[in-house]
Amino acid sequence: MQMLFSDLFGPDQPGYPSSLLDDPVMWGAFKGSPFFDPDFARWVLAAEDICFKNPVYSYIFRIGKCIPITRGGGIFQEHMNEALERLKDGAWLHTFPEGKVFQEDFPIRRLKWGTASLIARCPVTPIVLPIIHRGFEEVMPENYFRGKRPPVPLCGKNICIVIGQPIEFDLPEMVDSAVSASRLLDISSLPTPETKWPLVTVGGSRTSRELDEASQRCLYAAISEKIQTAMEKLRLFAKRCSSS
């Protein structure tokens, strides 16, 4: 296993999902693994349909500091508020902004807005560290035999984990740009959500502003694009390192 570091952990950490083993396994590689320290261990957003599909799974993953997220449930679903509360407490939160497992060697896809909304809505802008890893798709391939995963993880595979520099967000400036851009956005042409987006307050106590749906869409898109760009650069770096 190979790991390259350029900074320490931070409160918010977007990762690149390449298998169902990514989150629990990768932390075991660290000396003095934070995974076994209940006070320092990360919180992570986990798919409700996989990790919480029965009472036993729900108990185990809840004890493991997993927050159930309904894919397709939107950025204002109940447990996203729980994730926001963990960030407000200064906790370490691990997210997968692509929203699903991808094992193809393709550029980073358009990110879901959940991670961006958490960054924007947190009173203190979190430290955001991008993580890219390669090799987990060989440890737990999605199409191992007849389109199914192997019953147990495969051994003897090389794993490369790269942690990038913190991504900096000038939220006041990004909010100003989002509000300006929102004046040109015709949200009536967009798919109508089941529930109307609430007004959201972003920024700290001195710079807080209330944003409507159009402004939020522009802001979340800008934050997501910045994360996507940073993760794509990291993906290419990890690809070069793992092939050398």
Side-chain angles (χ1 to χ4, degrees):
M1 176 177 288
Q2 176 185 10
M3 295 190 297
L4 306 173
F5 300 90
S6 58
D7 215 296
L8 299 176
F9 295 126
D12 194 13
Q13 206 173 51
Y16 174 79
S18 62
S19 81
L20 295 181
L21 290 177
D22 298 359
D23 179 82
V25 172
M26 64 188 295
W27 309 125
F30 292 85
K31 184 177 181 180
S33 175
F35 192 78
F36 298 104
D37 184 337
D39 294 324
F40 185 64
R42 82 337 172 214
W43 288 88
V44 61
L45 305 185
E48 187 176 39
D49 60 320
I50 296 176
C51 301
F52 296 86
K53 59 184 179 181
N54 61 53
V56 174
Y57 278 20
S58 296
Y59 177 77
I60 292 173
F61 283 101
R62 266 307 198 177
I63 290 295
K65 301 181 75 170
C66 298
I67 300 174
I69 294 297
T70 302
R71 287 187 278 197
I75 61 176
F76 295 107
Q77 59 181 283
E78 175 187 359
H79 291 293
M80 284 296 285
N81 292 328
E82 179 185 347
L84 180 59
E85 290 303 314
R86 300 290 75 75
L87 278 182
K88 289 179 179 178
D89 293 338
W92 162 22
L93 177 67
H94 188 201
T95 73
F96 295 97
E98 283 191 300
K100 64 179 296 186
V101 171
F102 290 106
Q103 296 195 331
E104 302 84 1
D105 188 17
F106 291 155
I108 301 294
R109 296 156 181 80
R110 175 187 175 277
L111 306 184
K112 306 294 185 180
W113 286 352
T115 297
S117 72
L118 292 173
I119 294 170
R121 294 160 61 195
C122 191
V124 178
T125 304
I127 299 171
V128 180
L129 290 180
I131 295 180
I132 290 290
H133 43 72
R134 296 175 62 87
F136 281 110
E137 69 279 2
E138 297 181 8
V139 177
M140 184 60 75
E142 290 288 298
N143 297 310
Y144 179 68
F145 181 71
R146 295 184 178 179
K148 296 184 178 181
R149 294 184 290 269
V152 295
L154 305 181
C155 300
K157 307 298 181 181
N158 185 51
I159 296 174
C160 175
I161 302 173
V162 182
I163 301 177
Q165 294 284 352
I167 305 173
E168 296 184 2
F169 298 94
D170 186 343
L171 273 185
E173 181 178 333
M174 296 183 79
V175 168
D176 288 340
S177 298
V179 171
S180 298
S182 69
R183 299 189 182 106
L184 305 175
L185 180 64
D186 180 14
I187 63 173
S188 63
S189 62
L190 300 174
T192 303
E194 293 183 5
T195 57
K196 184 178 180 180
W197 282 27
L199 294 175
V200 163
T201 301
V202 300
S205 57
R206 296 183 179 179
T207 59
S208 63
R209 295 181 64 175
E210 201 169 59
L211 301 185
D212 59 14
E213 178 180 343
S215 298
Q216 289 178 61
R217 286 181 177 272
C218 293
L219 178 60
Y220 300 157
I223 293 174
S224 295
E225 184 178 351
K226 192 163 186 175
I227 297 173
Q228 180 180 354
T229 299
M231 293 185 69
E232 176 59 19
K233 291 180 179 178
L234 209 60
R235 185 190 72 86
L236 294 175
F237 178 74
K239 186 176 182 178
R240 293 195 299 270
C241 291
S242 61
S243 61
S244 62

